[in-house]
Amino acid sequence: MKQIRSILLLALFLSFIGITNAQNTTGEQDLIEQIIENIAEQEEENPDYTNLLEEITKLIQNPLNINTANFTELGKLYFLNQNQIEQLIKYREENGAILSIYEMQLIKGFSAELVKNIAPLISTKAKTKPISVKKLQHQLLIRCEHNFQKEAGYKTAGENSKYLGNPWKYYSRYQMQSPKSGINFGFTAENDKGEPFFKDENSNGFDFYSAHVQKKSNGLFKQINLGDYQIKFGQGLSLWSGMGGKKSSFTTQNARKYQGVKSYKSTDENRFFRGISIITSPLKGIDIAAFASYKKIDASADTDTISSFASSIVNTGLHRNRNELNKKDALKEKLLGGYFTWNLKNTQLGAAFIQYSYSPEIKITKKAYSHYNFTGKNNYNLSINYQTRINNIHLFGEAAQSKSGGIGILQGANIQIHPQFNLETIYRKYDKEYHAHYSNSFSEQSRNQNEEGIYIGINFHPFPRWSIKAYYDQFEFPWLKHSSNSPTNGHEYFSQIEYTKSDKLSVYFRYKQENKADNVNSDFINTPVEFKKTQFRLYLSAKPAANWEIRNRIEFSKYKQAENNENGFLIYQDLIYRFSQFPLNISLRYALFDTDSYDTRIYAYENDILYAYSVPAYYNKGSRFYFNLNYKISNNITLYARYAQTKYSNTESIGSGTSLILGNTKSDIKLQLKFRF
C-alpha cells in the first residue's frame, strides 16, 4: 500500500509540478478574486467585505496545517464542503499524515483545480519557527482615499444637500492580540468622503467608531465578547449578521458552516451587535450562548396625527449633508437572545431565539408591495437547525418563525455520488410575512421573505485537470415586489468549464442566464414583463515567468425585455510583477467596456490595497485603468498605494443628484500604512 501511494505521489508531482505553493501570491489573488466577485455579482446591496478579506489574509499569513486541523478548523477553507472535509479526515485516519499538498489529489472529491485554490491557505507541516516570547501582537492601519473630481454636493448652495466635509475618506484600525491569554482587542474609525471631520456633528473626529474585546478560554466560559460583534448561526434564517453568500461558481458549497460569535471589525454601520455576548460550554460538544445588544441605527423619521415613527431603515452609512445627518441614529434597537448547539459525532443540532425592540415604532410606507413588511415596535425569531452525515450524504436545514407567524424553511442535501461528481440541492420557502432582521440565508433576493425555490448544483471532474460546474435555480415570489406589481417567477442557469494545467496556466469559459420579470413603464399601469439576461465569459490566467503574471478576460452581456434588446462587453488585461530582490509588488489593469445601459452591466473584481476591495459595475462606454503597489519599508512597516481612473466616451456627466460629476472622467487615489509591532 505504501509503495503504491509513493508511486502515485511521484506521478502527481511530475504531472502537476508547481501547482501549489502556500506563499504564492498568484494563488492568493485568484482565491480572493473568486470568492468576492462571486458574491458581488449576486448582491443587490453593497456588502462590506472587510471581515472576509481579513479572514482570508490571516489564513494566507498563517496557513492551516491539514494534518492537525479538526473539522471546525477545516471549515474555514472556503472551497471545501462538508463531504470533502469528511473525506480529508477519513484519508488521514487511513493513511496517516499527508506528506505533500500534491497528495491531496488522491482524496475522494479533490481535483487539481480544488487543490490549486486552497493551496495558499494550507500547509502539511507545523511551523518550524520557535514560539515568540513576545506576549502581545499589535497592528495599526492608517488609510486615506481621495476623489479628484468634486461631486455636486460640494458645490451646491442648497442648505440641506451641501456636503459638510471634504472629498477625503479617513480610516484607521488598531488590533491587539495576546495569544497566551486569549484576549483580542481592537477599534475601527471611519469617515466617509464628504462627511464633516472634527467639526459640526463630528466635532469628536470620525463619523463612525467601533470597538471590541474578545476573551477565549478552555473553561466553562468559552468566550466573552464586549463591544461590537457579529453572530453567524445555523443556515442564516434567523441569525447571520454581516455578509452571507449567494449563488456563485461554488456550486456545491452553499451549506453554511457554524461560526458563532466573532469580533466585529468592519465599517457597515448597521448590521452588527453592540453589547455583550457570553458562550459557555458546560459539557463537551455543547455550546450555550446569551447576548444583549443596544445601538442606534439610521432611519427616515416621520410623524402622523398620533406619534412619530420610522418609515424606512437606511443602510448607506453616509452622513454628508443635513438630509443624511437627520437620519443618523434616528432608530433605537434593543436585542436579547441566545443560541444552543450540540455537536455529536456526525450530527450538529441547534436552536436560537432573538427578540427585537424598536423605538420609535417602524411603519413602512403604505405601498402594495410592502403590505406584509414588518411594522411595530417588537419582533422575535425562533429557529431550529441541524446538520448530519449519512454515508456520502450531508443533510442540512433550518426552520424559523417570526412574531407574525410567518415561517422560513430551508432544507438541503449534498451528495457525493462519485469521487469526482458532487451534487447539491436546496429547497427554501420564506413566507411573505416572515420577518427576520438579521437573517441572511440562501436566496434569490437580499431579504429572506416572499420567496420559494429549488436549487440544484453539480461539480464534476471528468479528468484531473478539468472541472465542470453548473447550477439551475427555479424560484417564485408569491407576493408583489418593489420592481413588480404582481406575483412573479423566474429561473437562473449557470455553467462553467475550467482547465487547470498548473499554477502557471488556468482558463475557463462561463455561461449564465437569468429569466425574471420586472415592471415596464406604461401610460396606464406598470406591468411586469419577463426579461432575459445572458452572459458569456472567457478568462485566462498565466504565469509566463517566475515574477510575472498576466490575466485576460472578455465578457459579453445581453439583455432582452419585450422589444428592448441591449448588449454590452468588457475586456481587460492585468499585469502583475513581483520583484525578487526588492520588497515591491506592482499590478495594473487596463479595461475597455461598452454597454447599452445599466441592465447590461458587468461586474469585475479589482486588486486593491490590503483589507480594501473594489468590485465596480462596468457600464456605459469607456475605459478604466488602475495601478497598485505595495512596498515593504521595513519588517514592521508596509506602504500600499493605488490610483484608478475611469473615462467615459459617451457622456458629459457621471452620476446623479449630489453625486453628480461634471465631465467624463472619475479618478481617485488610496494610500495606506500598515504597522506591526
Side-chain angles (χ1 to χ4, degrees), residues 309-328:
F309 60 92
S311 58
S312 65
I313 295 175
V314 181
N315 291 316
T316 63
L318 297 174
H319 310 113
R320 300 165 296 185
N321 51 38
R322 296 295 174 192
N323 287 330
E324 293 173 347
L325 282 165
N326 289 337
K327 300 173 184 177
K328 183 177 182 180

Side-chain angles (χ1 to χ4, degrees), residues 166-434:
N166 60 57
W168 283 90
K169 177 176 180 175
Y170 305 104
Y171 171 90
S172 64
R173 191 176 80 177
Y174 168 75
Q175 192 74 28
M176 183 276 290
Q177 288 182 306
S178 175
K180 186 176 181 180
S181 65
I183 294 177
N184 182 308
F185 165 76
F187 69 80
T188 302
E190 183 201 47
N191 211 79
D192 288 308
K193 299 168 186 175
E195 294 178 339
F197 189 56
F198 280 103
K199 65 177 184 178
D200 298 324
E201 280 77 358
N202 290 337
S203 58
N204 293 325
F206 293 84
D207 176 73
F208 175 71
Y209 289 97
S210 175
H212 65 268
V213 179
Q214 179 174 284
K215 164 70 172 156
K216 288 186 174 182
S217 69
N218 295 321
L220 174 63
F221 293 96
K222 186 176 180 179
Q223 182 176 314
I224 298 175
N225 287 73
L226 295 173
D228 297 343
Y229 57 91
Q230 288 182 317
I231 302 178
K232 297 186 177 183
F233 179 78
Q235 294 302 313
L237 264 181
S238 64
L239 268 177
W240 200 277
S241 58
M243 189 174 59
K246 305 293 183 182
K247 289 170 288 187
S248 70
S249 63
F250 306 142
T251 52
T252 60
Q253 292 152 272
N254 295 294
R256 298 290 172 85
K257 299 166 187 174
Y258 165 73
Q259 298 183 36
V261 182
K262 307 181 75 172
S263 296
Y264 183 70
K265 305 168 188 176
S266 298
T267 54
D268 184 318
E269 301 182 21
N270 291 282
R271 291 186 64 82
F272 65 93
F273 300 100
R274 174 167 288 171
I276 183 172
S277 168
I278 300 174
I279 302 176
T280 62
S281 185
L283 296 171
K284 184 179 180 180
I286 293 179
D287 284 352
I288 301 174
F291 56 89
S293 171
Y294 170 80
K295 71 176 189 293
K296 297 177 181 179
I297 58 180
D298 295 353
S300 297
D302 207 340
T303 59
D304 55 22
T305 56
I306 301 175
S307 61
S308 60
F309 60 92
S311 58
S312 65
I313 295 175
V314 181
N315 291 316
T316 63
L318 297 174
H319 310 113
R320 300 165 296 185
N321 51 38
R322 296 295 174 192
N323 287 330
E324 293 173 347
L325 282 165
N326 289 337
K327 300 173 184 177
K328 183 177 182 180
D329 297 339
L331 185 64
K332 298 175 183 177
E333 178 190 70
K334 295 179 183 178
L335 300 173
L336 288 172
Y339 68 77
F340 164 87
T341 63
W342 186 15
N343 289 294
L344 302 170
K345 184 178 180 181
N346 293 317
T347 302
Q348 182 186 82
L349 303 174
F353 176 80
I354 179 171
Q355 179 176 311
Y356 315 79
S357 176
Y358 293 100
S359 178
E361 68 175 325
I362 297 175
K363 290 183 180 179
I364 303 299
T365 307
K366 292 297 181 182
K367 299 285 187 180
Y369 66 83
S370 63
H371 178 75
Y372 289 99
N373 286 0
F374 171 78
T375 59
K377 288 188 174 183
N378 301 290
N379 186 31
Y380 68 78
N381 295 122
L382 177 65
S383 68
I384 55 173
N385 68 84
Y386 82 100
Q387 296 195 46
T388 189
R389 180 178 171 81
I390 305 172
N391 295 324
N392 291 331
I393 302 175
H394 169 228
L395 299 173
F396 56 94
E398 185 170 12
Q401 183 178 38
S402 60
K403 182 183 177 182
S404 63
I407 301 291
I409 297 173
L410 181 143
Q411 173 60 57
N414 186 290
I415 307 170
Q416 196 73 41
I417 296 176
H418 181 274
Q420 304 305 325
F421 189 88
N422 191 221
L423 170 71
E424 184 170 87
T425 180
I426 298 174
Y427 170 76
R428 76 272 189 189
K429 185 178 187 299
Y430 312 135
D431 289 348
K432 55 184 178 295
E433 63 268 40
Y434 176 66

